[in-house]
Amino acid sequence: MIRVAGIDCGTNSIRLLVADCDPATGDLVELDRRMTIVRLGQGVDETGRLAPEALERTFAACREYAAVIEELGAERVRFVATSASRDAENREEFVQGVLDILGVEPEVITGEQEAEFSFNGATKELTGRTDLERPFLVVDIGGGSTEFVVGSEHVEAARSVDVGCVRMTERHLVVDGVVADPPTGAQVAAIRADVEAALDLASQAVPLGRARTLVGLAGSVTTVAAIALGLPEYDSSAIHHSRIPYEKVREVAERMLTSTHAEREAIAVIHPGRVDVIGAGALVLLAIMDRVGASEVVVSEHDILDGIAFAAAEAAGTANRRS
């Protein structure tokens, strides 16, 4: 077992996992897992740049995470940055800030690399399950992009497309700086059209219809699951590996897209940073289930972050053997 720290910096949130893990067996003992909504991708779709206030929110979270990593004594740290920092003209400012705080340079990975991390993080512990048909379709619905990965034991095909809960909200639901409350039918239809076009693009590289089990990752999916399960508060253990039927996903999506900000804010399982974007995220999930004909989604709390940790442990193990 090797103690590592993995950091996943996405469009909407930044997350830390410190764990003892064995990448050969898929065993992972979690020591600290935390998430901070920083909305790094604020305005990137429109301006092409990371906003100064978004960078400062992200750097503040990095300073907090640096203290945790030092306290727990991780042998290796791996920082992965995804959609927002891929798209930004001023990403070097982001890279230098992270390097100054954490002492590691963030890897601004491709969508295909992101998909591989997500698949490994989500499926290592599913390999022994006999109740889930293969191949898996792993879908990681992020803030700026969504990754599609098909595979059984390993990645067989992957594609990243630029639809996510933040990007769709900012593109279609924000008018004069204010999020629609609730969205109009035309606004919802515009999101759906974008998602359908993205699914057409994804299907060129990934055989979506061949998959037998849909595995959903990341905050939009886990939040939909928490609402569908009727949880009084967010409970990772209840959400992890829950199986949410299509009809429940449709009900939650319709509820989120017809409710006001105040009504969504009153739902305890919705993180404050997701209140305005959960409608778009739920619609992305529903559209995917419609396209692939999925009767349910298997929800995983283990995702790209766990894949990053396994990769860090593999690298540390290789370095140890060489020395």
PDB file of all heavy atoms in Angstrom, residues 21-53:
ATOM      1  N   CYS A  21      -3.196   3.043  -1.172  1.00  0.00           N
ATOM      2  CA  CYS A  21      -3.814   2.205  -2.193  1.00  0.00           C
ATOM      3  C   CYS A  21      -2.819   1.261  -2.840  1.00  0.00           C
ATOM      4  O   CYS A  21      -1.612   1.498  -2.863  1.00  0.00           O
ATOM      5  CB  CYS A  21      -4.542   3.043  -3.237  1.00  0.00           C
ATOM      6  SG  CYS A  21      -3.536   4.192  -4.146  1.00  0.00           S
ATOM      7  N   ASP A  22      -3.391   0.170  -3.370  1.00  0.00           N
ATOM      8  CA  ASP A  22      -2.647  -0.849  -4.089  1.00  0.00           C
ATOM      9  C   ASP A  22      -3.271  -0.952  -5.475  1.00  0.00           C
ATOM     10  O   ASP A  22      -4.352  -1.531  -5.633  1.00  0.00           O
ATOM     11  CB  ASP A  22      -2.748  -2.190  -3.356  1.00  0.00           C
ATOM     12  CG  ASP A  22      -1.937  -3.287  -4.034  1.00  0.00           C
ATOM     13  OD1 ASP A  22      -1.588  -3.125  -5.215  1.00  0.00           O
ATOM     14  OD2 ASP A  22      -1.650  -4.302  -3.376  1.00  0.00           O
ATOM     15  N   PRO A  23      -2.617  -0.389  -6.489  1.00  0.00           N
ATOM     16  CA  PRO A  23      -3.227  -0.379  -7.818  1.00  0.00           C
ATOM     17  C   PRO A  23      -3.362  -1.771  -8.434  1.00  0.00           C
ATOM     18  O   PRO A  23      -4.196  -1.973  -9.317  1.00  0.00           O
ATOM     19  CB  PRO A  23      -2.264   0.491  -8.633  1.00  0.00           C
ATOM     20  CG  PRO A  23      -0.965   0.429  -7.898  1.00  0.00           C
ATOM     21  CD  PRO A  23      -1.321   0.280  -6.454  1.00  0.00           C
ATOM     22  N   ALA A  24      -2.570  -2.737  -7.960  1.00  0.00           N
ATOM     23  CA  ALA A  24      -2.640  -4.088  -8.518  1.00  0.00           C
ATOM     24  C   ALA A  24      -3.928  -4.797  -8.118  1.00  0.00           C
ATOM     25  O   ALA A  24      -4.523  -5.525  -8.914  1.00  0.00           O
ATOM     26  CB  ALA A  24      -1.434  -4.898  -8.068  1.00  0.00           C
ATOM     27  N   THR A  25      -4.379  -4.572  -6.890  1.00  0.00           N
ATOM     28  CA  THR A  25      -5.572  -5.262  -6.392  1.00  0.00           C
ATOM     29  C   THR A  25      -6.834  -4.406  -6.423  1.00  0.00           C
ATOM     30  O   THR A  25      -7.942  -4.920  -6.301  1.00  0.00           O
ATOM     31  CB  THR A  25      -5.354  -5.709  -4.935  1.00  0.00           C
ATOM     32  OG1 THR A  25      -5.176  -4.544  -4.109  1.00  0.00           O
ATOM     33  CG2 THR A  25      -4.124  -6.596  -4.823  1.00  0.00           C
ATOM     34  N   GLY A  26      -6.653  -3.080  -6.560  1.00  0.00           N
ATOM     35  CA  GLY A  26      -7.807  -2.186  -6.497  1.00  0.00           C
ATOM     36  C   GLY A  26      -8.196  -1.826  -5.085  1.00  0.00           C
ATOM     37  O   GLY A  26      -9.220  -1.177  -4.867  1.00  0.00           O
ATOM     38  N   ASP A  27      -7.376  -2.244  -4.102  1.00  0.00           N
ATOM     39  CA  ASP A  27      -7.654  -1.888  -2.707  1.00  0.00           C
ATOM     40  C   ASP A  27      -7.299  -0.426  -2.467  1.00  0.00           C
ATOM     41  O   ASP A  27      -6.243   0.049  -2.893  1.00  0.00           O
ATOM     42  CB  ASP A  27      -6.836  -2.764  -1.755  1.00  0.00           C
ATOM     43  CG  ASP A  27      -7.305  -4.212  -1.765  1.00  0.00           C
ATOM     44  OD1 ASP A  27      -8.485  -4.434  -2.094  1.00  0.00           O
ATOM     45  OD2 ASP A  27      -6.487  -5.099  -1.469  1.00  0.00           O
ATOM     46  N   LEU A  28      -8.174   0.270  -1.776  1.00  0.00           N
ATOM     47  CA  LEU A  28      -7.954   1.680  -1.481  1.00  0.00           C
ATOM     48  C   LEU A  28      -8.529   1.989  -0.108  1.00  0.00           C
ATOM     49  O   LEU A  28      -9.708   1.720   0.145  1.00  0.00           O
ATOM     50  CB  LEU A  28      -8.603   2.564  -2.553  1.00  0.00           C
ATOM     51  CG  LEU A  28      -8.395   4.073  -2.452  1.00  0.00           C
ATOM     52  CD1 LEU A  28      -8.333   4.707  -3.846  1.00  0.00           C
ATOM     53  CD2 LEU A  28      -9.530   4.725  -1.660  1.00  0.00           C
ATOM     54  N   VAL A  29      -7.677   2.491   0.772  1.00  0.00           N
ATOM     55  CA  VAL A  29      -8.108   2.896   2.107  1.00  0.00           C
ATOM     56  C   VAL A  29      -8.090   4.419   2.155  1.00  0.00           C
ATOM     57  O   VAL A  29      -7.041   5.056   2.105  1.00  0.00           O
ATOM     58  CB  VAL A  29      -7.184   2.321   3.200  1.00  0.00           C
ATOM     59  CG1 VAL A  29      -7.649   2.795   4.574  1.00  0.00           C
ATOM     60  CG2 VAL A  29      -7.154   0.805   3.130  1.00  0.00           C
ATOM     61  N   GLU A  30      -9.268   4.990   2.241  1.00  0.00           N
ATOM     62  CA  GLU A  30      -9.420   6.440   2.179  1.00  0.00           C
ATOM     63  C   GLU A  30      -9.066   7.071   3.528  1.00  0.00           C
ATOM     64  O   GLU A  30      -9.580   6.667   4.564  1.00  0.00           O
ATOM     65  CB  GLU A  30     -10.870   6.751   1.815  1.00  0.00           C
ATOM     66  CG  GLU A  30     -11.227   8.189   1.695  1.00  0.00           C
ATOM     67  CD  GLU A  30     -12.689   8.352   1.326  1.00  0.00           C
ATOM     68  OE1 GLU A  30     -13.156   7.690   0.373  1.00  0.00           O
ATOM     69  OE2 GLU A  30     -13.377   9.138   2.003  1.00  0.00           O
ATOM     70  N   LEU A  31      -8.189   8.069   3.479  1.00  0.00           N
ATOM     71  CA  LEU A  31      -7.814   8.800   4.687  1.00  0.00           C
ATOM     72  C   LEU A  31      -8.486  10.162   4.754  1.00  0.00           C
ATOM     73  O   LEU A  31      -8.860  10.632   5.827  1.00  0.00           O
ATOM     74  CB  LEU A  31      -6.292   8.976   4.744  1.00  0.00           C
ATOM     75  CG  LEU A  31      -5.476   7.680   4.720  1.00  0.00           C
ATOM     76  CD1 LEU A  31      -3.997   7.983   4.622  1.00  0.00           C
ATOM     77  CD2 LEU A  31      -5.769   6.845   5.964  1.00  0.00           C
ATOM     78  N   ASP A  32      -8.623  10.812   3.616  1.00  0.00           N
ATOM     79  CA  ASP A  32      -9.293  12.116   3.574  1.00  0.00           C
ATOM     80  C   ASP A  32      -9.813  12.324   2.165  1.00  0.00           C
ATOM     81  O   ASP A  32      -9.090  12.141   1.184  1.00  0.00           O
ATOM     82  CB  ASP A  32      -8.317  13.242   3.947  1.00  0.00           C
ATOM     83  CG  ASP A  32      -9.039  14.562   4.255  1.00  0.00           C
ATOM     84  OD1 ASP A  32      -9.683  15.118   3.351  1.00  0.00           O
ATOM     85  OD2 ASP A  32      -8.954  15.014   5.405  1.00  0.00           O
ATOM     86  N   ARG A  33     -11.090  12.671   2.065  1.00  0.00           N
ATOM     87  CA  ARG A  33     -11.695  12.995   0.768  1.00  0.00           C
ATOM     88  C   ARG A  33     -12.533  14.243   0.984  1.00  0.00           C
ATOM     89  O   ARG A  33     -13.410  14.269   1.851  1.00  0.00           O
ATOM     90  CB  ARG A  33     -12.573  11.850   0.262  1.00  0.00           C
ATOM     91  CG  ARG A  33     -13.098  12.060  -1.171  1.00  0.00           C
ATOM     92  CD  ARG A  33     -14.113  10.998  -1.553  1.00  0.00           C
ATOM     93  NE  ARG A  33     -13.558   9.662  -1.641  1.00  0.00           N
ATOM     94  CZ  ARG A  33     -13.226   9.050  -2.776  1.00  0.00           C
ATOM     95  NH1 ARG A  33     -13.379   9.669  -3.923  1.00  0.00           N
ATOM     96  NH2 ARG A  33     -12.746   7.811  -2.752  1.00  0.00           N
ATOM     97  N   ARG A  34     -12.278  15.256   0.190  1.00  0.00           N
ATOM     98  CA  ARG A  34     -13.043  16.501   0.351  1.00  0.00           C
ATOM     99  C   ARG A  34     -13.224  17.193  -0.989  1.00  0.00           C
ATOM    100  O   ARG A  34     -12.471  16.949  -1.941  1.00  0.00           O
ATOM    101  CB  ARG A  34     -12.371  17.428   1.364  1.00  0.00           C
ATOM    102  CG  ARG A  34     -10.986  17.900   1.012  1.00  0.00           C
ATOM    103  CD  ARG A  34     -10.384  18.739   2.132  1.00  0.00           C
ATOM    104  NE  ARG A  34     -10.147  17.969   3.349  1.00  0.00           N
ATOM    105  CZ  ARG A  34      -9.911  18.521   4.542  1.00  0.00           C
ATOM    106  NH1 ARG A  34      -9.899  19.845   4.669  1.00  0.00           N
ATOM    107  NH2 ARG A  34      -9.693  17.774   5.606  1.00  0.00           N
ATOM    108  N   MET A  35     -14.235  18.030  -1.046  1.00  0.00           N
ATOM    109  CA  MET A  35     -14.586  18.728  -2.273  1.00  0.00           C
ATOM    110  C   MET A  35     -14.908  20.183  -1.967  1.00  0.00           C
ATOM    111  O   MET A  35     -15.532  20.482  -0.948  1.00  0.00           O
ATOM    112  CB  MET A  35     -15.794  18.049  -2.935  1.00  0.00           C
ATOM    113  CG  MET A  35     -16.235  18.646  -4.259  1.00  0.00           C
ATOM    114  SD  MET A  35     -17.485  19.949  -4.080  1.00  0.00           S
ATOM    115  CE  MET A  35     -18.921  19.008  -3.594  1.00  0.00           C
ATOM    116  N   THR A  36     -14.471  21.085  -2.828  1.00  0.00           N
ATOM    117  CA  THR A  36     -14.776  22.507  -2.699  1.00  0.00           C
ATOM    118  C   THR A  36     -15.298  23.014  -4.034  1.00  0.00           C
ATOM    119  O   THR A  36     -14.677  22.783  -5.078  1.00  0.00           O
ATOM    120  CB  THR A  36     -13.508  23.307  -2.314  1.00  0.00           C
ATOM    121  OG1 THR A  36     -12.863  22.684  -1.213  1.00  0.00           O
ATOM    122  CG2 THR A  36     -13.863  24.743  -1.966  1.00  0.00           C
ATOM    123  N   ILE A  37     -16.445  23.672  -4.007  1.00  0.00           N
ATOM    124  CA  ILE A  37     -16.968  24.298  -5.221  1.00  0.00           C
ATOM    125  C   ILE A  37     -16.206  25.605  -5.446  1.00  0.00           C
ATOM    126  O   ILE A  37     -16.283  26.517  -4.623  1.00  0.00           O
ATOM    127  CB  ILE A  37     -18.475  24.582  -5.111  1.00  0.00           C
ATOM    128  CG1 ILE A  37     -19.265  23.281  -4.916  1.00  0.00           C
ATOM    129  CG2 ILE A  37     -18.968  25.340  -6.346  1.00  0.00           C
ATOM    130  CD1 ILE A  37     -19.359  22.395  -6.116  1.00  0.00           C
ATOM    131  N   VAL A  38     -15.462  25.680  -6.547  1.00  0.00           N
ATOM    132  CA  VAL A  38     -14.682  26.892  -6.837  1.00  0.00           C
ATOM    133  C   VAL A  38     -15.117  27.557  -8.142  1.00  0.00           C
ATOM    134  O   VAL A  38     -14.733  28.684  -8.435  1.00  0.00           O
ATOM    135  CB  VAL A  38     -13.176  26.586  -6.898  1.00  0.00           C
ATOM    136  CG1 VAL A  38     -12.663  26.165  -5.529  1.00  0.00           C
ATOM    137  CG2 VAL A  38     -12.852  25.523  -7.938  1.00  0.00           C
ATOM    138  N   ARG A  39     -15.901  26.832  -8.947  1.00  0.00           N
ATOM    139  CA  ARG A  39     -16.395  27.340 -10.235  1.00  0.00           C
ATOM    140  C   ARG A  39     -15.251  27.954 -11.061  1.00  0.00           C
ATOM    141  O   ARG A  39     -15.322  29.076 -11.540  1.00  0.00           O
ATOM    142  CB  ARG A  39     -17.531  28.345 -10.013  1.00  0.00           C
ATOM    143  CG  ARG A  39     -18.402  28.631 -11.243  1.00  0.00           C
ATOM    144  CD  ARG A  39     -19.226  27.442 -11.677  1.00  0.00           C
ATOM    145  NE  ARG A  39     -20.204  27.006 -10.679  1.00  0.00           N
ATOM    146  CZ  ARG A  39     -21.434  27.503 -10.562  1.00  0.00           C
ATOM    147  NH1 ARG A  39     -21.820  28.457 -11.371  1.00  0.00           N
ATOM    148  NH2 ARG A  39     -22.259  27.027  -9.651  1.00  0.00           N
ATOM    149  N   LEU A  40     -14.172  27.171 -11.227  1.00  0.00           N
ATOM    150  CA  LEU A  40     -13.023  27.632 -12.008  1.00  0.00           C
ATOM    151  C   LEU A  40     -13.434  28.006 -13.427  1.00  0.00           C
ATOM    152  O   LEU A  40     -12.869  28.913 -14.030  1.00  0.00           O
ATOM    153  CB  LEU A  40     -11.944  26.539 -12.042  1.00  0.00           C
ATOM    154  CG  LEU A  40     -10.675  26.848 -12.843  1.00  0.00           C
ATOM    155  CD1 LEU A  40      -9.942  28.054 -12.276  1.00  0.00           C
ATOM    156  CD2 LEU A  40      -9.747  25.635 -12.880  1.00  0.00           C
ATOM    157  N   GLY A  41     -14.433  27.297 -13.948  1.00  0.00           N
ATOM    158  CA  GLY A  41     -14.855  27.546 -15.327  1.00  0.00           C
ATOM    159  C   GLY A  41     -15.796  28.719 -15.504  1.00  0.00           C
ATOM    160  O   GLY A  41     -16.362  28.899 -16.591  1.00  0.00           O
ATOM    161  N   GLN A  42     -15.956  29.542 -14.475  1.00  0.00           N
ATOM    162  CA  GLN A  42     -16.845  30.709 -14.555  1.00  0.00           C
ATOM    163  C   GLN A  42     -16.515  31.565 -15.778  1.00  0.00           C
ATOM    164  O   GLN A  42     -15.433  32.130 -15.893  1.00  0.00           O
ATOM    165  CB  GLN A  42     -16.683  31.550 -13.293  1.00  0.00           C
ATOM    166  CG  GLN A  42     -17.387  32.897 -13.313  1.00  0.00           C
ATOM    167  CD  GLN A  42     -16.939  33.776 -12.137  1.00  0.00           C
ATOM    168  OE1 GLN A  42     -16.558  33.277 -11.090  1.00  0.00           O
ATOM    169  NE2 GLN A  42     -16.958  35.075 -12.330  1.00  0.00           N
ATOM    170  N   GLY A  43     -17.444  31.625 -16.724  1.00  0.00           N
ATOM    171  CA  GLY A  43     -17.298  32.499 -17.885  1.00  0.00           C
ATOM    172  C   GLY A  43     -16.355  32.027 -18.968  1.00  0.00           C
ATOM    173  O   GLY A  43     -16.222  32.696 -20.000  1.00  0.00           O
ATOM    174  N   VAL A  44     -15.713  30.866 -18.793  1.00  0.00           N
ATOM    175  CA  VAL A  44     -14.722  30.416 -19.788  1.00  0.00           C
ATOM    176  C   VAL A  44     -15.360  30.170 -21.145  1.00  0.00           C
ATOM    177  O   VAL A  44     -14.779  30.498 -22.187  1.00  0.00           O
ATOM    178  CB  VAL A  44     -13.997  29.142 -19.296  1.00  0.00           C
ATOM    179  CG1 VAL A  44     -13.184  28.510 -20.421  1.00  0.00           C
ATOM    180  CG2 VAL A  44     -13.083  29.471 -18.137  1.00  0.00           C
ATOM    181  N   ASP A  45     -16.561  29.626 -21.161  1.00  0.00           N
ATOM    182  CA  ASP A  45     -17.224  29.338 -22.440  1.00  0.00           C
ATOM    183  C   ASP A  45     -17.423  30.609 -23.255  1.00  0.00           C
ATOM    184  O   ASP A  45     -17.350  30.605 -24.483  1.00  0.00           O
ATOM    185  CB  ASP A  45     -18.577  28.659 -22.177  1.00  0.00           C
ATOM    186  CG  ASP A  45     -19.183  28.066 -23.443  1.00  0.00           C
ATOM    187  OD1 ASP A  45     -18.476  27.319 -24.140  1.00  0.00           O
ATOM    188  OD2 ASP A  45     -20.352  28.361 -23.738  1.00  0.00           O
ATOM    189  N   GLU A  46     -17.641  31.731 -22.566  1.00  0.00           N
ATOM    190  CA  GLU A  46     -17.895  33.002 -23.252  1.00  0.00           C
ATOM    191  C   GLU A  46     -16.611  33.788 -23.517  1.00  0.00           C
ATOM    192  O   GLU A  46     -16.420  34.329 -24.608  1.00  0.00           O
ATOM    193  CB  GLU A  46     -18.841  33.863 -22.407  1.00  0.00           C
ATOM    194  CG  GLU A  46     -19.190  35.204 -23.038  1.00  0.00           C
ATOM    195  CD  GLU A  46     -20.129  36.019 -22.170  1.00  0.00           C
ATOM    196  OE1 GLU A  46     -20.597  35.498 -21.141  1.00  0.00           O
ATOM    197  OE2 GLU A  46     -20.400  37.185 -22.535  1.00  0.00           O
ATOM    198  N   THR A  47     -15.701  33.843 -22.529  1.00  0.00           N
ATOM    199  CA  THR A  47     -14.522  34.716 -22.654  1.00  0.00           C
ATOM    200  C   THR A  47     -13.258  33.991 -23.101  1.00  0.00           C
ATOM    201  O   THR A  47     -12.331  34.627 -23.606  1.00  0.00           O
ATOM    202  CB  THR A  47     -14.208  35.382 -21.299  1.00  0.00           C
ATOM    203  OG1 THR A  47     -13.769  34.381 -20.365  1.00  0.00           O
ATOM    204  CG2 THR A  47     -15.433  36.094 -20.743  1.00  0.00           C
ATOM    205  N   GLY A  48     -13.212  32.683 -22.876  1.00  0.00           N
ATOM    206  CA  GLY A  48     -12.008  31.939 -23.200  1.00  0.00           C
ATOM    207  C   GLY A  48     -10.902  32.094 -22.170  1.00  0.00           C
ATOM    208  O   GLY A  48      -9.781  31.631 -22.387  1.00  0.00           O
ATOM    209  N   ARG A  49     -11.191  32.745 -21.036  1.00  0.00           N
ATOM    210  CA  ARG A  49     -10.177  33.000 -20.007  1.00  0.00           C
ATOM    211  C   ARG A  49     -10.701  32.614 -18.627  1.00  0.00           C
ATOM    212  O   ARG A  49     -11.914  32.666 -18.369  1.00  0.00           O
ATOM    213  CB  ARG A  49      -9.776  34.481 -19.995  1.00  0.00           C
ATOM    214  CG  ARG A  49      -9.095  34.947 -21.266  1.00  0.00           C
ATOM    215  CD  ARG A  49      -8.719  36.414 -21.174  1.00  0.00           C
ATOM    216  NE  ARG A  49      -7.751  36.676 -20.104  1.00  0.00           N
ATOM    217  CZ  ARG A  49      -6.443  36.492 -20.231  1.00  0.00           C
ATOM    218  NH1 ARG A  49      -5.927  36.043 -21.361  1.00  0.00           N
ATOM    219  NH2 ARG A  49      -5.632  36.761 -19.227  1.00  0.00           N
ATOM    220  N   LEU A  50      -9.780  32.231 -17.744  1.00  0.00           N
ATOM    221  CA  LEU A  50     -10.113  31.984 -16.352  1.00  0.00           C
ATOM    222  C   LEU A  50     -10.230  33.322 -15.636  1.00  0.00           C
ATOM    223  O   LEU A  50      -9.316  34.148 -15.697  1.00  0.00           O
ATOM    224  CB  LEU A  50      -9.030  31.130 -15.690  1.00  0.00           C
ATOM    225  CG  LEU A  50      -8.826  29.730 -16.281  1.00  0.00           C
ATOM    226  CD1 LEU A  50      -7.541  29.111 -15.763  1.00  0.00           C
ATOM    227  CD2 LEU A  50     -10.012  28.834 -15.990  1.00  0.00           C
ATOM    228  N   ALA A  51     -11.351  33.549 -14.957  1.00  0.00           N
ATOM    229  CA  ALA A  51     -11.588  34.820 -14.274  1.00  0.00           C
ATOM    230  C   ALA A  51     -10.696  34.941 -13.046  1.00  0.00           C
ATOM    231  O   ALA A  51     -10.436  33.946 -12.361  1.00  0.00           O
ATOM    232  CB  ALA A  51     -13.061  34.918 -13.859  1.00  0.00           C
ATOM    233  N   PRO A  52     -10.223  36.157 -12.726  1.00  0.00           N
ATOM    234  CA  PRO A  52      -9.348  36.348 -11.558  1.00  0.00           C
ATOM    235  C   PRO A  52      -9.966  35.827 -10.263  1.00  0.00           C
ATOM    236  O   PRO A  52      -9.287  35.198  -9.445  1.00  0.00           O
ATOM    237  CB  PRO A  52      -9.147  37.864 -11.513  1.00  0.00           C
ATOM    238  CG  PRO A  52      -9.367  38.321 -12.911  1.00  0.00           C
ATOM    239  CD  PRO A  52     -10.418  37.405 -13.471  1.00  0.00           C
ATOM    240  N   GLU A  53     -11.258  36.072 -10.060  1.00  0.00           N
ATOM    241  CA  GLU A  53     -11.896  35.633  -8.829  1.00  0.00           C
ATOM    242  C   GLU A  53     -12.023  34.106  -8.781  1.00  0.00           C
ATOM    243  O   GLU A  53     -11.948  33.487  -7.718  1.00  0.00           O
ATOM    244  CB  GLU A  53     -13.267  36.287  -8.642  1.00  0.00           C
ATOM    245  CG  GLU A  53     -14.286  36.027  -9.741  1.00  0.00           C
ATOM    246  CD  GLU A  53     -14.226  37.023 -10.889  1.00  0.00           C
ATOM    247  OE1 GLU A  53     -13.147  37.594 -11.143  1.00  0.00           O
ATOM    248  OE2 GLU A  53     -15.285  37.220 -11.536  1.00  0.00           O
TER     249      GLU A  53
END
